[in-house]
Amino acid sequence: PLLDYTLTGKFICFLMCIFAASVVQIPTGIIADGFMDVAVKARKEKGIQARDLTEKVVVPPKYLNDGSMGDKLHILLSPDDDEGVWFDYSMLAFLAVDVSMVVIESDRDWRVYMGDEIFANLEGVAAMLFSVLYILRLLAAPYDPRSSYSRWGYLTSFFGVADMVAFVPFWLEMYWTMHGIPYDFAFPRMLRLMRVLQFEHYTEAFTLIDDVFRGCKDTLVATGFLSVIIWVFSAYGFFLLEKDNKNVKGAFDNIPNSLYYTAIFLSGEWGQVDFSPLGKVLCCFLVVAGIGLYAIPVGALFDAFQEVLEKEEEEEEEEKEAAAVPKAKESKKTQ
């Protein structure tokens, strides 16, 4: 709220920002580590390994690598297979162009300069392509471990939903136009922007994101409930303490307004600062609580990401060792 400092004051503020970031990280790490330790112990008590808590054990079917059409489609569409790398790079380039055009299309000057036909034709090509890819991935789902080797697993997975959202807006617009149903153009454009999720199919780094979220899902859910409790009770506290405070200009006259401002406070921004003495005490509590609420999910995500990366490295080493055994046997036979 105050920023009209002297030159010396600005320098002190700069130092405070640096030190504050360091000071916040210390309790953040401590709280996150403590929370994760408790979560891991709870998992072990239930007889579940922490790393594989949310992963379902799916036995690979015997028909894998049978050379069928579904197997070949999986090899082509899988980001983990080198044989389909040319397809991955082509789709990455197309996705970058398509998402960029969706953004540019929102600018009226660009639409006039380039013409609506270019955007319409590109959208038609993209929708047809994503529709075909959706069908192909559905056919290849019995060979895909990410779909639990089933088509139903693909349809209900994050990948399946993201793939459906990629082409549904086009067909919705076609249906609305053919039947003369008025609609807001901003809604299908927003859905088309969700095509950025398609990047997860073609880059291995993106495929790790859903594994990370599955690995710390319980922690995130628990943090969410805790956040809601602190948010609601703090908002009610501001309502009780500040509803008659004229300095805050009616910001806490009712609970809905208090909920709005408290949500902003929890993010680290303070739209109101002229509190009563008891309100200032509540503010100090909210600052500490905000650090804890920030620390738990961030720490959980980092820990889960580290576990997923370690698991990926272990699997790669196992694959290398498995591939080295036949080569060693062949070299012995030649000798």
Side-chain angles (χ1 to χ4, degrees):
L2 298 176
L3 56 141
D4 297 326
Y5 300 107
T6 62
L7 183 61
T8 305
K10 292 178 180 178
F11 178 72
I12 294 175
C13 286
F14 173 73
L15 294 178
M16 286 180 63
C17 290
I18 297 176
F19 288 124
S22 303
V23 170
V24 169
Q25 292 302 320
I26 295 173
T28 295
I30 294 174
I31 294 173
D33 290 341
F35 200 93
M36 288 301 297
D37 289 342
V38 172
V40 169
K41 289 179 181 178
R43 293 170 182 176
K44 289 182 177 179
E45 288 175 359
K46 294 179 181 179
I48 303 174
Q49 292 183 358
R51 182 177 297 174
D52 301 322
L53 175 65
T54 57
E55 295 181 358
K56 296 180 180 179
V57 178
V58 180
V59 179
K62 296 181 179 180
Y63 57 75
L64 293 182
N65 303 318
D66 59 0
S68 63
M69 183 183 69
D71 185 33
K72 293 178 180 178
L73 287 174
H74 171 63
I75 293 174
L76 175 66
L77 300 174
S78 175
D80 302 325
D81 201 297
D82 294 336
E83 294 185 24
V85 66
W86 62 270
F87 179 77
D88 297 342
Y89 286 135
S90 301
M91 286 303 302
L92 282 172
F94 180 81
L95 281 170
V97 173
D98 183 60
V99 173
S100 299
M101 293 296 282
V102 172
V103 175
I104 293 174
E105 187 184 11
S106 63
D107 190 305
R108 183 178 301 176
D109 295 335
W110 275 102
R111 287 205 311 271
V112 173
Y113 175 73
M114 300 182 66
D116 290 335
E117 292 184 0
I118 294 179
F119 294 102
N121 293 335
L122 179 63
E123 175 58 23
V125 171
M128 295 295 180
L129 177 61
F130 290 130
S131 299
V132 172
L133 285 174
Y134 184 78
I135 296 173
L136 294 179
R137 290 196 176 100
L138 189 61
L139 293 174
Y143 297 84
D144 190 355
R146 296 179 300 176
S147 302
S148 300
Y149 302 106
S150 70
R151 292 190 173 94
W152 177 250
Y154 169 72
L155 291 173
T156 56
S157 67
F158 172 82
F159 298 100
V161 175
D163 292 344
M164 184 180 295
V165 172
F167 64 85
V168 163
F170 174 80
W171 299 113
L172 281 177
E173 288 187 83
M174 290 284 290
Y175 177 81
W176 292 333
T177 302
M178 291 174 61
H179 291 79
I181 301 175
Y183 65 93
D184 186 1
F185 185 74
F187 175 68
R189 180 187 293 129
M190 179 194 69
L191 291 180
R192 291 208 300 271
L193 279 175
M194 299 296 288
R195 288 173 183 169
V196 71
L197 299 176
Q198 293 288 309
F199 282 106
E200 185 160 353
H201 280 297
Y202 308 106
T203 56
E204 188 175 357
F206 274 90
T207 60
L208 298 177
I209 295 177
D210 57 330
D211 297 334
V212 171
F213 277 97
R214 284 200 300 266
C216 59
K217 180 179 67 175
D218 292 344
T219 304
L220 295 178
V221 171
T223 307
F225 279 115
L226 181 61
S227 301
V228 170
I229 292 172
I230 293 177
W231 175 40
V232 172
F233 277 93
S234 298
Y236 186 69
F238 279 118
F239 167 68
L240 291 178
L241 298 174
E242 305 296 332
K243 60 183 178 180
D244 297 325
N245 186 355
K246 296 181 180 180
N247 294 327
V248 295
K249 301 177 182 179
F252 305 101
D253 285 350
N254 52 62
I255 294 179
N257 285 348
S258 297
L259 287 170
Y260 169 71
Y261 278 99
T262 305
I264 296 175
F265 296 162
L266 284 171
S267 68
E269 301 291 336
W270 293 86
Q272 300 290 339
V273 291
D274 298 322
F275 298 105
S276 63
L278 290 178
K280 293 177 181 178
V281 173
L282 182 57
C283 287
C284 293
F285 162 77
L286 209 59
V287 169
V288 177
I291 293 174
L293 294 177
Y294 163 79
I296 295 172
V298 170
L301 287 171
F302 273 104
D303 288 342
F305 207 98
Q306 184 177 357
E307 288 184 1
V308 169
L309 291 177
E310 290 176 354
K311 186 177 180 181
E312 289 288 325
E313 292 178 358
E314 291 177 0
E315 291 178 354
E316 289 179 1
E317 291 178 359
E318 291 176 358
E319 291 177 359
K320 290 180 180 178
E321 292 177 357
V325 172
K327 293 181 180 179
K329 291 181 178 179
E330 290 179 2
S331 62
K332 289 181 178 179
K333 289 181 180 179
T334 56
Q335 291 176 359

